[in-house]
Structure formats: structure tokens, C-alpha cells
Amino acid sequence: MNQPTNQSTQRYRWAKRARDTVAPSVAAAAHGNLIELGGGYDFPDTLPDIVPEAMAAAELKRETLQYGPLYGLEDLRDAIVDYLCQDGITATRENILVVNGAKHALDLACRVFLEPGDSVIVAAPTYMNAVRILNHAEAHFISIPQDAEGMDTEILRDCLQARHDAGEPLPKLLFDMPDFHNPTAIAMSAARRERLVELATDYDFVIIEDDPYRHIRFDGEPVPPIKAFDKNGRVISLGTVSKILAPGLRIGWVNADPAIIRRMASHKSDGGTSPLLQRIVVQLFRNGTVGRHIATLSSVLRVHRDAMIDAIREHLPGTSVYSPNGGYFLWIWLPPQIDADELVRRAANEGVSIISGRLCFAEEPPGSFLRLAYSFSGTTGIVEGVKRLGRAYAAMRSEVGGPTNRLV
């Protein structure tokens, strides 16, 4: 008797874009007590109580259990306008499109702007999921290095001018995260933000400003968003409640010129973002939960950041790490002889999940890096996780040798 199997022998005629893009299988953890220091999940202990808001939304079932309006609930669009106003952004309801998280917004922007082979400017390194989405759009990458002020706009200008002088096509889009950048956690200077808008005007491209971490700030004063310098509709600003409330709510937004909003809305294939979730988020904005949650989360994550940096100092000698003023992540420079991918594998065997920096480069990475997240695990888990990582790292380092510890 033939045994059933979940593995098909069928030969499918894949689309070109799907031939080499396969999601990994869900595998059992190699360790019974896996500590998560890789993904940028929210800290479970601070997730908001939304039961009252959910019950109130359920009472409006004629609205919340139907298909949602294409652009989003008017109340939520108005609440987002008010939220943006806190950062000095002037917008109206017509500038706002509600979407299923910021990644959905980036995908829509690709649909309306990019043909296969069009060029997109990204930082080196950049957000790993943006690389995936832009790859699916068959974009050509122009990678620009960063320094302590963010993307190097003078290197970008020289690159753009060289392409112009050579008669090469200029890029259509630039993607970046200016506040507590994922993965480096760098906050771009105000001068660089203003310069990016000038370059977008001079060389005719559109900036996609993805800003999920802006309000998760521990130290220092905020600088205006890139959108604040935009006078001619050159900036598409993406926002989300994933990092300031809860990722499971799946509510994000686009703030852009109405002509862009209408084009992006026409490419939504979801029948309208869930009105039930939208109504919950409207209430969380209106009753002050969003502001209170941001303050609480920022206070907690400051402690997490400090615990992780202290643990790195103790258990990862020979590495460097940038100490950020906010956000979810630390970017770790490894000694050049340590292969990050191999360290990820060995760390999993020790019971800790981390992410190789190789995934954060659109093109060939120039060195060996790790991205660690202090957002999900508590301080005890962070310290134990870095200790486990340190065991894997020490084993590799003993095989190849390495320098003494240095922290920046």
C-alpha cells in the first residue's frame, strides 16, 4: 500500500520570478530552548491590551465585518494625519492610503513605479525585506555606503552624475530608513535628509522613506522626517503600527502626493484592508494608547539595549557595535576571518537565533556582520542568548585567531 506523502513529484511551469525564490521550510528548532535575538518582534510583555477596543469595534459590525473602503476608513486616515502632525508633517486625508503594513506599501510602490531592470538606490546595508521585495520587482540595485550620518549623499551625487554623463538611465526610486535604520540603527542627519530631497529633484527620482522606528527613541533630539523637506511630492512616506503597537494588527499607511496615492490604491488586490483592525487602531490612537505604549516600550527597550551591549562586551571580544539612540537592533562588526553565516549556524546549535548581515546587502557585502535584535527577549534572555552566541563565536575564533575587544 502506498504511503501518503506531502512531497509532490509534479513538474510545475513556474513564472520566471518564482524559479529561484523559495521560502524555507518551517523546521523544528535544533535546541529545545531557543532564544530569539534575530527577528524584530515586539516585546511580548508590553503588547497592548486591545480587548475593550476590539469589543467596541465588534459592535459596529455593519462596518467592521464588511469589505473595507479601498483607501481605508476615513476616521483612521484622519487619525494618521493627526499623528503625522506631531512631526511637523502637513497632510490631508487625500494624502493617506491605509495598507496591510509597510511592506505592503513598498510592494505597491514597486508595482506603480518599476519596470523590470529599473534602478533603485539603497543603502549598503539595507533592510533585508526591502531587498526581497525589490528583487521580486526585478529592480537593479545602486548601493550607496553609509557613515555615522546615514547614506553618504556626496557619493550618491557623484554616482548619479556619472550615470547622467554616461547617458545611462537614472534610478526611479530611492529606499531608505532614516530613523534608527534597520539594520545599522543609524539616524540620518537633518542635512543629509534635506540633501536627499534636493538630489531627488535634480535627478528625477522618488524617495521611499520607511520610518517604523522613529518614535522608539532613548536618547537625543529627533530631526524632521525626510518628508518634512519635501515641497514637490518627491517623498513617499511609509508608516506602520507594527513597531509602535503590535505587528499582528497589520495596519500601515502611505503618505504621498494624491496622484501617487490613487495609483497605489488602484493596485491593491486585498479588497480593502480589514475594517475591524482599522477601527481598533482608530480607537487606540484616539484614546491615547499609542502615545502611552510608545513611552513604555521606549523605556523598556533602552534597558534591553544596554543589557545586550554589556553582554557583547563580555562575550564577543574582537567585535564592534554601534550603540543606537533608539530602534530595535544592533549591528555587529565581526573580525574579517569570522564567517557570519557559519556563526549563525553554530549559534542555532547553541540555542540562539541570530541573523547574518549578509542578508542586508543588495549586492556583495564588504565584510562580515551580524544583526541582533533586543526587542523580543527580556534582559535575562538577552544575556543568556549573547552568552550562548559567545560560545559559538569563541570556538570559531580559536580556530582562526582574532583581535582584542573594541566597542564604538
Side-chain angles (χ1 to χ4, degrees):
M1 183 176 180
N2 293 332
Q3 296 296 316
T5 176
N6 63 0
Q7 182 64 48
S8 172
T9 59
Q10 176 68 41
R11 293 174 63 88
Y12 298 103
R13 294 185 293 167
W14 305 114
K16 179 182 176 183
R17 72 179 70 87
R19 289 173 191 165
D20 299 318
T21 53
V22 181
S25 299
V26 178
H31 193 281
N33 185 24
L34 189 71
I35 296 175
E36 178 60 62
L37 298 184
Y41 303 103
D42 279 14
F43 186 49
D45 291 358
T46 60
L47 288 172
D49 176 11
I50 64 167
V51 172
E53 290 79 12
M55 293 177 65
E59 292 294 320
L60 302 172
K61 64 181 181 180
R62 290 179 178 271
E63 171 196 72
T64 59
L65 298 184
Q66 289 285 5
Y67 291 112
L70 182 63
Y71 290 89
L73 297 182
E74 291 186 353
D75 282 352
L76 180 55
R77 295 165 74 197
D78 290 343
I80 291 167
V81 167
D82 293 340
Y83 178 71
L84 297 175
C85 184
Q86 299 173 29
D87 279 323
I89 300 297
T90 301
T92 67
R93 185 187 298 168
E94 286 65 37
N95 295 111
I96 307 300
L97 174 67
V98 178
V99 291
N100 303 316
K103 290 188 287 291
H104 183 206
L106 177 57
D107 181 70
L108 289 173
C110 291
R111 290 174 185 240
V112 302
F113 279 101
L114 296 181
E115 304 286 355
D118 281 344
S119 295
V120 177
I121 304 158
V122 295
T126 191
Y127 176 39
M128 66 177 73
N129 284 322
V131 173
R132 177 178 57 83
I133 293 167
L134 291 164
N135 267 323
H136 288 171
E138 301 179 65
H140 170 77
F141 291 101
I142 300 174
S143 297
I144 303 298
Q146 303 176 80
D147 60 21
E149 292 188 64
M151 183 183 289
D152 192 318
T153 50
E154 292 314 298
I155 291 177
L156 173 59
R157 188 205 69 83
D158 291 345
C159 176
L160 292 168
Q161 190 60 43
R163 293 177 73 91
H164 176 271
D165 293 344
E168 298 176 1
L170 292 172
K172 282 188 174 179
L173 298 176
L174 179 149
F175 173 86
D176 203 14
M177 289 181 160
D179 287 294
F180 313 126
H181 179 271
N182 181 357
T184 64
I186 291 169
M188 183 182 288
S189 68
R192 292 275 177 90
R193 297 172 194 230
E194 186 172 18
R195 182 64 172 141
L196 277 183
V197 176
E198 293 172 354
L199 291 173
T201 301
D202 293 344
Y203 293 95
D204 192 24
F205 60 85
V206 170
I207 297 167
I208 300 177
E209 176 184 27
D210 190 4
D211 220 359
Y213 307 103
R214 175 174 176 79
H215 292 280
I216 309 300
R217 173 175 287 277
F218 316 142
D219 305 292
E221 295 298 320
V223 296
I226 298 175
K227 186 66 176 173
F229 298 99
D230 180 26
K231 308 303 180 188
N232 300 302
R234 286 284 173 184
V235 179
I236 300 172
S237 179
L238 312 184
T240 178
V241 301
S242 291
K243 307 305 181 184
I244 59 172
L245 276 176
L249 289 171
R250 306 314 306 141
I251 296 295
W253 61 85
V254 183
N255 172 24
D257 185 272
I260 294 175
I261 292 297
R262 290 192 293 271
R263 295 277 181 167
M264 292 178 70
S266 72
H267 282 264
K268 289 189 72 177
S269 58
D270 58 4
T273 299
S274 166
L276 177 64
L277 298 178
Q278 289 188 68
R279 180 53 62 186
I280 291 170
V281 173
V282 169
Q283 295 177 79
L284 294 170
F285 271 117
R286 286 181 171 173
N287 66 21
T289 296
V290 173
R292 291 191 298 272
H293 183 73
I294 289 171
T296 298
L297 183 61
S298 298
S299 178
V300 169
L301 293 189
R302 177 202 295 266
V303 175
H304 288 195
R305 175 203 63 181
D306 293 344
M308 182 172 277
I309 288 177
D310 288 345
I312 289 169
R313 180 180 294 114
E314 180 176 357
H315 298 293
L316 297 178
T319 65
S320 296
V321 58
Y322 171 73
S323 180
N325 288 334
Y328 275 37
F329 303 108
L330 296 181
W331 184 242
I332 314 297
W333 286 260
L334 297 172
Q337 64 271 35
I338 300 295
D339 181 83
D341 293 347
E342 175 62 13
L343 182 54
V344 169
R345 187 189 68 79
R346 295 196 189 192
N349 290 335
E350 292 284 348
V352 59
S353 173
I354 59 174
I355 287 178
S356 169
R358 188 179 303 276
L359 300 174
C360 302
F361 289 87
E363 300 172 281
E364 187 65 24
S368 195
F369 307 93
L370 296 178
R371 191 198 75 174
L372 300 185
Y374 48 78
S375 58
F376 179 75
S377 296
T379 54
T380 300
I382 286 170
V383 172
E384 175 61 23
V386 175
K387 183 178 179 180
R388 295 180 186 184
L389 171 59
R391 289 199 294 264
Y393 173 73
M396 291 183 67
R397 196 161 177 257
S398 68
E399 296 167 7
V400 298
T404 58
N405 185 38
R406 60 189 176 92
L407 272 184
V408 295

